[in-house]
Amino acid sequence: MFDVVIVGGGAAGFFAAIHIAEARPQLKIAILERGKQVLTKVKVSGGGRCNVTHAELNPADLVSNYPRGEKELLGPFHTYASGDTIGFFEKRGIALKIEEDGRMFPTTDSSQTIIDCFTSEADRLGVHIIRICTVTGFMNISSDEGDLWEISTAKKTYRSKKLLLTTGSNPKIWDLLSGLGHTIVPPVPSLFTFNIQDERIKNIPGISTHAEVAVLDKIKSRRNNGRVGHSEILSSEGPLLITHWGMSGPAILKLSAWGARILASYEYEFRIKVNWVPDYHADGLLELFMKVKQVEKKTVIRTKVLDIPKRLWANLVRASGIDDALTWPEVSKNQLQDLTAQLTESLFFVNGKSTFKEEFVTAGGLDLKEVNFKTFESKVLPNVYFAGEILNIDAITGGFNFQNAWTGGFLAAQGIVNSFDRT
């Protein structure tokens, strides 16, 4: 028998347990974890360094990084956001550092620092951590102590006054909740990279450059100067990384997050348009090339006209039909128009996706209309709370998914503590 049972030994579960135990030390709290290890996603986050949060402190700007959950998280972020997360860790002797792109990591550059913090705090506060404990069901029962939740596992049955579910993207838990009356938004992958086989990027993995990328609609078309083309349905700008299997980097990952449902409906086969030089449009770039043609005598392939990686420039020059030996005086206007098109509107066919590192994120989960975002309590089931990716909330890469876990864990903890105070 426990006062609070938390199902899921991840970021949100530990964060909530610590805050409940600190506020009410007399409460008996358990974390049930199905695996041998706890905090496994924390372990692999940020390449093993743990991207704890993001240095965006303004709630109105912070929510703009959540394709799902943007509206619902605004209120919670006014209560608990990135600045509070920084304070939580600093209070426990863990300094964080801000990287150039705003991501925040422990100064140790090790996720083990965060894991040790959580496990030692849970141990200090007397939280019971029960590993290899797969939940097979839960039901609301009446007892001498009032309404309780009975949680069935493969080995034992537990009873609790409050139940907090922090199980992440777990289809079995979603099925159980669906059976108890909750609505589940079907999950699809988010935060994935694009698989592309194309000669223009084939032999240059590891190259990164700033680019603008647009996903093209498979159905709708538009007429432009007599040419029929596809409409842009999503676009993003930022660093683009060429990989062995295609494209990755923030510009691609943003598209995969914001377009998670659309790209799933396309079965991950679609076209993208890349502008490798976002500071230029086609007319302006062609004008620049015509000026270079008047003054430059070297070969086109060996001339660094634009601020893009040399090997990418060389591949795009060749894709334009410009021979390696061709000089600027010799190149034709038509060839420069082709080069302009390759630079400002390269079309690539995406055929499949790859998981982004080990950090698997899904779009989908518990319908947000069925949650009270002041307390993260279920509107359907009494004394049941949620936090983290079990909800239909997900973010772009950069520490935002963890911030959702911290905020949800904190507010669920507050909700649980306050509910005990009322009884």
Side-chain angles (χ1 to χ4, degrees):
M1 177 70 201
F2 289 96
D3 294 300
V4 183
V5 163
I6 298 168
V7 182
F14 267 85
F15 209 69
I18 290 165
H19 281 98
I20 296 167
E22 278 194 327
R24 296 292 177 272
Q26 74 277 15
L27 295 179
K28 193 177 177 187
I29 304 162
I31 295 175
L32 310 184
E33 166 55 44
R34 64 179 172 171
K36 291 181 182 177
Q37 303 295 328
V38 294
L39 300 160
T40 52
K41 206 160 188 178
V42 171
K43 181 79 174 170
V44 299
S45 160
R49 296 194 297 143
C50 190
N51 185 184
V52 172
T53 187
H54 195 279
E56 179 52 75
L57 303 180
N58 182 352
D61 294 327
L62 187 56
V63 293
S64 69
N65 297 285
Y66 295 81
R68 284 144 294 271
E70 181 176 5
K71 176 168 65 78
E72 290 80 4
L73 286 175
L74 183 58
F77 282 158
H78 276 287
T79 301
Y80 198 97
S82 308
D84 303 289
T85 300
I86 296 164
F88 172 88
F89 287 110
E90 284 184 346
K91 183 181 172 185
R92 287 157 180 82
I94 296 172
L96 303 180
K97 60 178 179 178
I98 305 172
E99 302 212 332
E100 208 172 296
D101 57 5
R103 293 182 303 161
M104 297 194 71
F105 295 86
T107 53
T108 58
D109 277 329
S110 172
S111 57
Q112 196 61 46
T113 303
I114 306 300
I115 293 169
D116 291 345
C117 168
F118 284 152
T119 53
S120 63
E121 282 289 89
D123 186 53
R124 177 180 71 83
L125 293 162
V127 176
H128 299 257
I129 300 170
I130 305 167
R131 296 173 174 83
I132 317 177
C133 185
T134 301
V135 170
T136 55
F138 36 83
M139 59 187 290
N140 195 225
I141 61 167
S142 295
S143 75
D144 295 340
E145 296 186 53
D147 280 353
L148 297 175
W149 280 95
E150 189 169 84
I151 302 106
S152 304
T153 74
K155 295 177 183 176
K156 286 184 180 180
T157 298
Y158 301 90
R159 289 184 173 184
S160 181
K161 295 172 186 174
K162 310 289 176 185
L163 178 61
L164 171 57
L165 300 174
T166 60
T167 48
S169 304
N170 187 321
K172 289 182 179 177
I173 298 296
W174 282 331
D175 285 347
L176 291 173
L177 286 169
S178 178
L180 292 171
H182 263 294
T183 306
I184 305 300
V185 178
V188 295
S190 180
L191 284 192
F192 50 85
T193 63
F194 293 175
N195 293 355
I196 300 169
Q197 294 295 320
D198 193 290
E199 288 297 318
R200 290 168 291 177
I201 60 170
K202 186 176 179 182
N203 298 313
I204 53 172
I207 279 180
S208 179
T209 189
H210 192 86
E212 184 177 35
V213 189
V215 173
L216 304 182
D217 197 309
K218 292 187 82 168
I219 303 166
K220 295 176 184 175
S221 61
R222 57 178 168 75
R223 191 167 290 278
N224 182 22
N225 295 330
R227 294 164 58 199
V228 175
H230 289 280
S231 301
E232 295 180 12
I233 54 169
L234 290 164
S235 66
S236 76
E237 187 177 326
L240 185 155
L241 175 67
I242 295 169
T243 69
H244 288 286
W245 58 88
M247 293 182 188
S248 184
I252 298 297
L253 295 169
K254 281 181 197 172
L255 290 177
S256 74
W258 288 98
R261 296 213 162 272
I262 296 168
L263 302 184
S265 74
Y266 289 172
E267 297 181 331
Y268 309 104
E269 291 189 359
F270 53 93
R271 291 200 304 166
I272 60 171
K273 183 171 72 176
V274 179
N275 183 349
W276 299 103
V277 283
D279 291 341
Y280 290 91
H281 53 76
D283 292 343
L285 188 57
L286 182 60
E287 191 179 324
L288 172 66
F289 286 160
M290 295 306 290
K291 288 177 180 174
V292 174
K293 180 176 163 63
Q294 301 304 314
V295 297
E296 184 58 69
K297 305 301 180 191
K298 290 191 293 191
T299 59
V300 176
I301 205 164
R302 292 178 64 83
T303 310
K304 189 170 172 61
V305 179
L306 301 165
D307 186 23
I308 65 170
K310 285 181 183 177
R311 288 192 294 160
L312 175 62
W313 166 262
N315 281 6
L316 295 176
V317 168
R318 289 174 183 136
S320 309
I322 299 172
D323 188 83
D324 286 13
L326 207 63
T327 64
W328 281 94
E330 295 168 331
V331 72
S332 71
K333 184 176 180 181
N334 282 346
Q335 286 174 312
L336 290 179
Q337 284 175 326
D338 287 345
L339 179 56
T340 298
Q342 286 290 346
L343 284 156
T344 59
E345 48 182 13
S346 284
L347 294 179
F348 293 90
F349 180 67
V350 177
N351 184 16
K353 60 175 176 56
S354 296
T355 302
F356 175 59
K357 298 185 178 176
E358 298 88 1
E359 300 167 44
F360 186 69
V361 175
T362 57
L366 196 76
D367 194 316
L368 303 185
K369 294 192 292 291
E370 298 172 357
V371 178
N372 175 354
F373 278 91
K374 289 182 179 176
T375 60
F376 280 69
E377 185 174 7
S378 168
K379 293 180 180 178
V380 177
L381 304 172
N383 299 314
V384 176
Y385 298 76
F386 309 101
E389 286 179 39
I390 188 172
L391 299 165
N392 183 24
I393 293 175
D394 63 285
I396 63 172
T397 183
F400 302 107
N401 282 298
F402 271 140
Q403 187 54 55
N404 169 47
W406 313 138
T407 297
F410 175 82
L411 283 170
Q414 268 201 333
I416 289 167
V417 167
N418 291 338
S419 72
F420 277 113
D421 290 346
R422 290 193 299 269
T423 56

